[in-house]
Amino acid sequence: LFAFALVIWTAAAARAALGATFVVTSAADTGHGYAAGTCPDPCTLRDALLAANSLPGPDTIAFAIPGAGPHTIAPLTPLPDITSTVTVDGYTQPGASPNTLAIGNDAVLLVELSGQAGGEVAPNGLWFKGGSEGSTVRGLAINDFAHDGVIVEGASGVTLTGNFIGVDPAGTGR
């Protein structure tokens, strides 16, 4: 006798298993009216975070901001708390690349998340809360927040890799 199970694989099931990718195409801070599970055109980091939170993860936030860069995203108000598993991948910005040297640094970071405009109104950058377990942030320069550039609260397994924290996109000063 043979036993088998029939599995119906729909597009929705495939998307849930693989997650969605939201592509940030604007360094502006203001949202453009995202709808659950989608990111408008142009898509801001704020829009992408809201869209990723609206779906079960894991999702990816990629970047394709026009122009040479580096591109500075400077929130005027707090970004949405991250409540779903997401990979925020600055290395997806065209021209960006991770460090390949064992000694020294040849990374090219072209997306900067800066608190320079928010002051005490937007004192923190990315805030990972419960539900965001297993998230990753890579390839960003995160700087100039009044308090913390990245906070992990109530989530485990959040990975920060290949970021410049507290310095400019060249990794030099602030």
Short mmCIF file of all heavy atoms in Angstrom, two decimals, residues 78-124:
data_model
loop_
_atom_site.label_atom_id
_atom_site.label_comp_id
_atom_site.label_asym_id
_atom_site.label_seq_id
_atom_site.Cartn_x
_atom_site.Cartn_y
_atom_site.Cartn_z
N PRO A 78 9.10 59.20 14.83
CA PRO A 78 9.57 57.82 15.03
C PRO A 78 9.14 56.90 13.88
O PRO A 78 8.01 56.96 13.41
CB PRO A 78 8.92 57.40 16.34
CG PRO A 78 8.67 58.68 17.06
CD PRO A 78 8.35 59.69 15.99
N LEU A 79 10.07 56.05 13.45
CA LEU A 79 9.72 55.01 12.48
C LEU A 79 8.82 53.99 13.16
O LEU A 79 8.86 53.85 14.39
CB LEU A 79 10.99 54.33 11.97
CG LEU A 79 11.88 55.17 11.05
CD1 LEU A 79 13.22 54.48 10.83
CD2 LEU A 79 11.18 55.43 9.72
N PRO A 80 8.03 53.26 12.39
CA PRO A 80 7.18 52.23 13.01
C PRO A 80 8.04 51.18 13.71
O PRO A 80 9.12 50.82 13.23
CB PRO A 80 6.47 51.59 11.81
CG PRO A 80 6.64 52.51 10.67
CD PRO A 80 7.87 53.33 10.94
N ASP A 81 7.57 50.72 14.88
CA ASP A 81 8.23 49.60 15.54
C ASP A 81 8.21 48.42 14.58
O ASP A 81 7.25 48.23 13.83
CB ASP A 81 7.49 49.22 16.82
CG ASP A 81 7.54 50.30 17.88
OD1 ASP A 81 8.41 51.19 17.80
OD2 ASP A 81 6.69 50.26 18.79
N ILE A 82 9.25 47.61 14.61
CA ILE A 82 9.32 46.43 13.75
C ILE A 82 8.75 45.26 14.55
O ILE A 82 9.29 44.89 15.59
CB ILE A 82 10.76 46.18 13.29
CG1 ILE A 82 11.24 47.40 12.48
CG2 ILE A 82 10.84 44.90 12.46
CD1 ILE A 82 12.72 47.42 12.22
N THR A 83 7.64 44.70 14.06
CA THR A 83 6.91 43.67 14.80
C THR A 83 6.77 42.36 14.02
O THR A 83 5.99 41.49 14.41
CB THR A 83 5.52 44.19 15.19
OG1 THR A 83 4.82 44.55 13.99
CG2 THR A 83 5.61 45.39 16.12
N SER A 84 7.49 42.24 12.93
CA SER A 84 7.46 41.03 12.11
C SER A 84 8.89 40.78 11.63
O SER A 84 9.68 41.71 11.49
CB SER A 84 6.52 41.24 10.92
OG SER A 84 6.45 40.09 10.12
N THR A 85 9.23 39.54 11.37
CA THR A 85 10.59 39.21 10.94
C THR A 85 10.88 39.85 9.59
O THR A 85 10.11 39.69 8.64
CB THR A 85 10.77 37.68 10.85
OG1 THR A 85 10.47 37.13 12.12
CG2 THR A 85 12.20 37.33 10.45
N VAL A 86 11.99 40.58 9.54
CA VAL A 86 12.34 41.31 8.31
C VAL A 86 13.86 41.38 8.19
O VAL A 86 14.58 41.43 9.18
CB VAL A 86 11.71 42.73 8.31
CG1 VAL A 86 12.30 43.60 9.41
CG2 VAL A 86 11.85 43.39 6.96
N THR A 87 14.33 41.38 6.94
CA THR A 87 15.72 41.68 6.66
C THR A 87 15.75 43.04 5.99
O THR A 87 15.13 43.23 4.94
CB THR A 87 16.35 40.62 5.73
OG1 THR A 87 16.36 39.37 6.41
CG2 THR A 87 17.77 41.00 5.33
N VAL A 88 16.43 43.99 6.61
CA VAL A 88 16.62 45.32 6.03
C VAL A 88 18.02 45.28 5.41
O VAL A 88 19.01 45.24 6.13
CB VAL A 88 16.50 46.43 7.09
CG1 VAL A 88 16.69 47.80 6.46
CG2 VAL A 88 15.15 46.34 7.81
N ASP A 89 18.09 45.28 4.09
CA ASP A 89 19.34 44.98 3.39
C ASP A 89 19.85 46.17 2.57
O ASP A 89 19.50 46.33 1.40
CB ASP A 89 19.15 43.76 2.49
CG ASP A 89 20.45 43.23 1.94
OD1 ASP A 89 21.50 43.89 2.11
OD2 ASP A 89 20.43 42.14 1.35
N GLY A 90 20.72 46.97 3.18
CA GLY A 90 21.31 48.12 2.49
C GLY A 90 22.22 47.74 1.35
O GLY A 90 22.48 48.54 0.45
N TYR A 91 22.72 46.50 1.35
CA TYR A 91 23.60 46.06 0.26
C TYR A 91 22.85 45.89 -1.06
O TYR A 91 23.48 45.74 -2.10
CB TYR A 91 24.29 44.75 0.61
CG TYR A 91 25.30 44.87 1.72
CD1 TYR A 91 25.31 43.99 2.77
CD2 TYR A 91 26.27 45.88 1.71
CE1 TYR A 91 26.24 44.08 3.79
CE2 TYR A 91 27.20 46.00 2.72
CZ TYR A 91 27.18 45.09 3.76
OH TYR A 91 28.11 45.20 4.76
N THR A 92 21.53 45.92 -1.03
CA THR A 92 20.76 45.82 -2.27
C THR A 92 20.74 47.13 -3.05
O THR A 92 20.37 47.14 -4.22
CB THR A 92 19.31 45.37 -1.99
OG1 THR A 92 18.71 46.30 -1.09
CG2 THR A 92 19.28 43.95 -1.42
N GLN A 93 21.13 48.24 -2.40
CA GLN A 93 21.22 49.52 -3.11
C GLN A 93 22.29 49.41 -4.19
O GLN A 93 23.42 49.01 -3.90
CB GLN A 93 21.57 50.66 -2.15
CG GLN A 93 21.79 52.01 -2.79
CD GLN A 93 20.55 52.59 -3.45
OE1 GLN A 93 19.44 52.42 -2.97
NE2 GLN A 93 20.73 53.28 -4.56
N PRO A 94 21.94 49.70 -5.45
CA PRO A 94 22.93 49.58 -6.53
C PRO A 94 24.23 50.34 -6.20
O PRO A 94 24.19 51.50 -5.80
CB PRO A 94 22.22 50.19 -7.74
CG PRO A 94 20.77 49.92 -7.46
CD PRO A 94 20.62 50.10 -5.96
N GLY A 95 25.35 49.65 -6.34
CA GLY A 95 26.66 50.22 -6.06
C GLY A 95 27.19 49.89 -4.68
O GLY A 95 28.37 50.06 -4.40
N ALA A 96 26.32 49.43 -3.76
CA ALA A 96 26.75 49.08 -2.41
C ALA A 96 27.39 47.70 -2.42
O ALA A 96 27.06 46.86 -3.26
CB ALA A 96 25.56 49.10 -1.45
N SER A 97 28.30 47.48 -1.47
CA SER A 97 28.94 46.17 -1.37
C SER A 97 29.49 45.96 0.03
O SER A 97 29.91 46.90 0.69
CB SER A 97 30.06 46.03 -2.40
OG SER A 97 31.05 47.00 -2.19
N PRO A 98 29.52 44.70 0.49
CA PRO A 98 30.06 44.41 1.82
C PRO A 98 31.59 44.40 1.81
O PRO A 98 32.23 44.34 0.75
CB PRO A 98 29.53 43.01 2.12
CG PRO A 98 29.27 42.40 0.79
CD PRO A 98 28.93 43.53 -0.15
N ASN A 99 32.15 44.45 2.99
CA ASN A 99 33.60 44.36 3.15
C ASN A 99 34.08 42.99 2.70
O ASN A 99 33.48 41.97 3.02
CB ASN A 99 33.96 44.58 4.63
CG ASN A 99 35.44 44.49 4.87
OD1 ASN A 99 36.23 44.99 4.08
ND2 ASN A 99 35.81 43.86 5.97
N THR A 100 35.18 42.96 1.96
CA THR A 100 35.77 41.69 1.51
C THR A 100 37.18 41.47 2.08
O THR A 100 37.80 40.46 1.77
CB THR A 100 35.85 41.63 -0.03
OG1 THR A 100 36.70 42.69 -0.48
CG2 THR A 100 34.48 41.74 -0.66
N LEU A 101 37.65 42.40 2.89
CA LEU A 101 39.03 42.32 3.40
C LEU A 101 39.08 41.66 4.77
O LEU A 101 38.22 41.89 5.62
CB LEU A 101 39.62 43.73 3.51
CG LEU A 101 39.67 44.55 2.22
CD1 LEU A 101 40.19 45.95 2.53
CD2 LEU A 101 40.53 43.86 1.18
N ALA A 102 40.10 40.85 5.01
CA ALA A 102 40.32 40.27 6.32
C ALA A 102 40.85 41.33 7.29
O ALA A 102 40.54 41.33 8.48
CB ALA A 102 41.30 39.11 6.24
N ILE A 103 41.65 42.25 6.77
CA ILE A 103 42.17 43.36 7.56
C ILE A 103 41.85 44.64 6.79
O ILE A 103 42.15 44.77 5.61
CB ILE A 103 43.69 43.24 7.78
CG1 ILE A 103 44.00 41.97 8.56
CG2 ILE A 103 44.23 44.47 8.50
CD1 ILE A 103 45.47 41.68 8.70
N GLY A 104 41.21 45.58 7.46
CA GLY A 104 40.81 46.81 6.80
C GLY A 104 39.35 46.74 6.37
O GLY A 104 38.60 45.87 6.79
N ASN A 105 38.97 47.68 5.52
CA ASN A 105 37.58 47.78 5.13
C ASN A 105 37.47 48.31 3.72
O ASN A 105 38.04 49.34 3.40
CB ASN A 105 36.84 48.71 6.11
CG ASN A 105 35.40 48.90 5.71
OD1 ASN A 105 34.72 47.94 5.37
ND2 ASN A 105 34.94 50.12 5.75
N ASP A 106 36.74 47.61 2.88
CA ASP A 106 36.45 48.12 1.54
C ASP A 106 34.94 48.14 1.27
O ASP A 106 34.50 48.19 0.13
CB ASP A 106 37.20 47.32 0.46
CG ASP A 106 36.75 45.88 0.34
OD1 ASP A 106 35.98 45.41 1.21
OD2 ASP A 106 37.16 45.21 -0.62
N ALA A 107 34.16 48.10 2.34
CA ALA A 107 32.70 48.15 2.19
C ALA A 107 32.28 49.48 1.57
O ALA A 107 32.90 50.52 1.81
CB ALA A 107 32.01 47.98 3.54
N VAL A 108 31.21 49.43 0.80
CA VAL A 108 30.60 50.63 0.24
C VAL A 108 29.15 50.64 0.72
O VAL A 108 28.34 49.81 0.29
CB VAL A 108 30.66 50.64 -1.31
CG1 VAL A 108 29.95 51.87 -1.85
CG2 VAL A 108 32.10 50.57 -1.79
N LEU A 109 28.85 51.54 1.66
CA LEU A 109 27.49 51.68 2.16
C LEU A 109 26.87 52.92 1.53
O LEU A 109 27.46 54.00 1.60
CB LEU A 109 27.47 51.78 3.68
CG LEU A 109 28.08 50.62 4.45
CD1 LEU A 109 27.82 50.75 5.94
CD2 LEU A 109 27.59 49.28 3.94
N LEU A 110 25.70 52.75 0.93
CA LEU A 110 25.08 53.86 0.21
C LEU A 110 23.71 54.24 0.76
O LEU A 110 23.02 55.06 0.17
CB LEU A 110 24.97 53.50 -1.28
CG LEU A 110 26.31 53.34 -1.99
CD1 LEU A 110 26.11 52.91 -3.43
CD2 LEU A 110 27.11 54.64 -1.92
N VAL A 111 23.34 53.63 1.90
CA VAL A 111 22.09 54.01 2.57
C VAL A 111 22.43 54.36 4.01
O VAL A 111 23.00 53.55 4.75
CB VAL A 111 21.04 52.88 2.52
CG1 VAL A 111 19.78 53.29 3.27
CG2 VAL A 111 20.71 52.50 1.08
N GLU A 112 22.06 55.58 4.38
CA GLU A 112 22.32 56.09 5.73
C GLU A 112 20.98 56.35 6.41
O GLU A 112 20.10 57.00 5.84
CB GLU A 112 23.12 57.39 5.63
CG GLU A 112 23.33 58.10 6.93
CD GLU A 112 24.09 59.42 6.76
OE1 GLU A 112 23.91 60.09 5.71
OE2 GLU A 112 24.84 59.77 7.67
N LEU A 113 20.82 55.85 7.63
CA LEU A 113 19.66 56.15 8.46
C LEU A 113 20.15 57.10 9.54
O LEU A 113 20.94 56.71 10.40
CB LEU A 113 19.08 54.86 9.06
CG LEU A 113 17.85 55.03 9.96
CD1 LEU A 113 16.71 55.70 9.21
CD2 LEU A 113 17.43 53.67 10.51
N SER A 114 19.71 58.35 9.45
CA SER A 114 20.25 59.40 10.31
C SER A 114 19.16 60.05 11.16
O SER A 114 18.09 60.40 10.66
CB SER A 114 20.92 60.46 9.44
OG SER A 114 21.33 61.55 10.25
N GLY A 115 19.47 60.25 12.42
CA GLY A 115 18.57 60.94 13.33
C GLY A 115 18.75 62.44 13.33
O GLY A 115 18.18 63.14 14.15
N GLN A 116 19.53 62.95 12.40
CA GLN A 116 19.87 64.38 12.39
C GLN A 116 18.66 65.29 12.34
O GLN A 116 18.68 66.39 12.89
CB GLN A 116 20.80 64.69 11.22
CG GLN A 116 20.15 64.50 9.86
CD GLN A 116 21.13 64.64 8.72
OE1 GLN A 116 22.29 64.94 8.92
NE2 GLN A 116 20.66 64.42 7.51
N ALA A 117 17.57 64.90 11.71
CA ALA A 117 16.41 65.77 11.56
C ALA A 117 15.38 65.59 12.66
O ALA A 117 14.58 66.48 12.92
CB ALA A 117 15.74 65.54 10.20
N GLY A 118 15.38 64.43 13.34
CA GLY A 118 14.33 64.10 14.29
C GLY A 118 14.54 64.61 15.69
O GLY A 118 13.58 64.87 16.40
N GLY A 119 15.79 64.76 16.12
CA GLY A 119 16.07 65.22 17.48
C GLY A 119 15.32 64.41 18.52
O GLY A 119 15.25 63.18 18.42
N GLU A 120 14.74 65.06 19.50
CA GLU A 120 13.99 64.37 20.55
C GLU A 120 12.61 63.92 20.08
O GLU A 120 11.95 63.13 20.73
CB GLU A 120 13.86 65.25 21.79
CG GLU A 120 15.13 65.36 22.58
CD GLU A 120 15.62 64.02 23.15
OE1 GLU A 120 14.81 63.15 23.52
OE2 GLU A 120 16.85 63.84 23.21
N VAL A 121 12.16 64.42 18.91
CA VAL A 121 10.86 63.99 18.38
C VAL A 121 10.97 62.56 17.84
O VAL A 121 10.06 61.76 17.97
CB VAL A 121 10.37 64.96 17.28
CG1 VAL A 121 9.09 64.47 16.65
CG2 VAL A 121 10.19 66.35 17.86
N ALA A 122 12.07 62.23 17.21
CA ALA A 122 12.35 60.88 16.71
C ALA A 122 13.70 60.44 17.25
O ALA A 122 14.68 60.38 16.52
CB ALA A 122 12.33 60.86 15.19
N PRO A 123 13.77 60.14 18.57
CA PRO A 123 15.07 59.93 19.21
C PRO A 123 15.75 58.60 18.91
O PRO A 123 16.92 58.43 19.21
CB PRO A 123 14.74 60.02 20.70
CG PRO A 123 13.32 59.54 20.78
CD PRO A 123 12.67 60.04 19.52
N ASN A 124 15.01 57.64 18.32
CA ASN A 124 15.57 56.32 18.06
C ASN A 124 15.38 55.95 16.60
O ASN A 124 14.49 56.46 15.93
CB ASN A 124 14.89 55.27 18.94
CG ASN A 124 15.06 55.58 20.41
OD1 ASN A 124 16.17 55.69 20.90
ND2 ASN A 124 13.96 55.76 21.11
#
